[in-house]
Amino acid sequence: MRKIGIIGMGHVGSTVAHGLIAEGVADEYVFIDKNEKKVQADALDFEDAKTNLNNSFSVTVNDYQALGDADVIISAIGKIELQYDNVEHDRFIELPHNVEQVKEVSAKLKETDFAGVLVVITNPCDAIAAVYQSETGYPQEKVLGTGTLLDTARMHRAVGSAFNVDPRSVAGYNLGEHGNSQFTAWSTVSLRGQPITELAAEQGIDLAAIEEDSVVGGYTVFDGKGYTSYGIATAAIRLAKTVIQDAKTEMPVSHKRPEFASYLSYPAIVGRQGVVSYSQLDLTEEELAKLQKSADSIQTQFEKVVKQ
């Protein structure tokens, strides 16, 4: 039986749950949230959906012990209200609050037999993934953040729009922090096998504007509706499916690379055991410097937390 736990049933957690259930990804789900009334309502709402779905499932509510045999746990806890007056659009503003929540959750997880993969959405997801790994003691390869899996999708969307093609025709990555120090590694980006830098030069397209769009795209959505949900939920669902199916797919997820001190996003092969092998990109010197700068930014924030 395939089982997935979701901790935090707010805008993102409930959207993740809906996507997973609609696709029939798992047979059993465990919903955890401090708002008992809300999480019970979600569970009932999904029960009401069963007749019109093509798959069967069960839902358990607020039982940490039920997570013991889960294949994947998704952390979607957070406090989106902290972003409302965040004029600098810095995800680190959520770090102090979310760290305390992560410590509470980690203590409860350690009381279970969970040995699956922990997927972290909670912002700032790179530093929070590091905190989860430190607090739980889980193997590094089994604690992953969604990282720039979402930002890469935003870049693909922006490139697709600029070149009038389906975003799924675009290859390449955004790397580093799921935040302001991330960057598009243009040396990795191609369209139908042709380097995007060549195509952009031929067509007079501004790659810097595309990169900016991918970095701030989340805040464009946030400014419109007060939160983001579909993009990040889809990224988390793809990652969870990759783990459950042992797909061994390359994707830019946040994990601890051997050559960096911190969690950050870089392509890795993901399967049932989490990161099963490390990819290696042929980045330019400029891109390597940007990656190191991003890693340093994440690690600085993490060290502030662990020293408190």
Side-chain angles (χ1 to χ4, degrees), residues 42-73:
D42 277 329
L44 179 59
D45 211 0
F46 281 119
E47 289 293 326
D48 290 342
K50 276 186 175 178
T51 295
N52 294 312
L53 291 171
N54 294 322
N55 52 81
S56 185
F57 59 91
S58 65
V59 176
T60 301
V61 171
N62 281 350
D63 181 358
Y64 270 89
Q65 289 304 311
L67 295 172
D69 60 346
D71 300 288
V72 177
I73 293 175

Side-chain angles (χ1 to χ4, degrees), residues 64 101-111 118 131-133 135-136 138:
Y64 270 89
Q101 304 305 306
V102 166
K103 288 180 177 179
E104 288 184 25
V105 170
S106 296
K108 293 176 181 178
L109 288 178
K110 287 195 294 183
E111 296 175 353
L118 177 59
V131 175
Y132 262 120
Q133 195 279 321
E135 290 291 319
T136 60
Y138 294 157

Side-chain angles (χ1 to χ4, degrees), residues 52-98:
N52 294 312
L53 291 171
N54 294 322
N55 52 81
S56 185
F57 59 91
S58 65
V59 176
T60 301
V61 171
N62 281 350
D63 181 358
Y64 270 89
Q65 289 304 311
L67 295 172
D69 60 346
D71 300 288
V72 177
I73 293 175
I74 299 171
S75 170
I77 60 177
K79 189 175 182 180
I80 194 63
E81 293 84 1
L82 294 172
Q83 292 286 353
Y84 288 167
D85 297 316
N86 183 11
V87 295
E88 295 183 357
H89 292 172
D90 187 353
R91 291 176 177 87
F92 281 117
I93 197 170
E94 296 183 58
L95 185 61
H97 174 272
N98 288 347

Side-chain angles (χ1 to χ4, degrees), residues 209-262:
I210 292 176
E211 180 175 25
E212 178 68 10
D213 187 357
S214 68
V215 173
V216 305
Y219 283 99
T220 302
V221 174
F222 179 87
D223 287 344
K225 65 180 192 178
Y227 59 94
T228 64
S229 54
Y230 304 130
I232 183 55
T234 304
I237 290 166
R238 182 187 173 199
L239 182 49
K241 288 170 62 178
T242 299
V243 172
I244 280 190
Q245 296 168 359
D246 196 23
K248 296 183 175 64
T249 302
E250 183 178 75
M251 53 180 60
V253 294
S254 186
H255 62 290
K256 200 160 188 178
R257 292 277 302 186
E259 68 270 41
F260 293 102
S262 73

Side-chain angles (χ1 to χ4, degrees), residues 146-169:
T146 46
T148 60
L149 187 59
L150 172 57
D151 306 293
T152 293
R154 286 171 174 153
M155 181 268 289
H156 289 185
R157 182 261 304 157
V159 169
S161 177
F163 288 88
N164 194 30
V165 297
D166 190 303
R168 290 169 294 187
S169 299

Side-chain angles (χ1 to χ4, degrees), residues 262-275:
S262 73
Y263 270 72
L264 82 170
S265 283
Y266 194 102
I269 306 300
V270 178
R272 194 162 185 83
Q273 299 303 312
V275 171

Side-chain angles (χ1 to χ4, degrees), residues 9-11 13-14 33 35-44:
M9 289 293 291
H11 294 301
S14 57
D33 197 282
N35 186 336
E36 181 76 22
K37 187 175 181 179
K38 164 66 162 61
V39 71
Q40 291 288 357
D42 277 329
L44 179 59

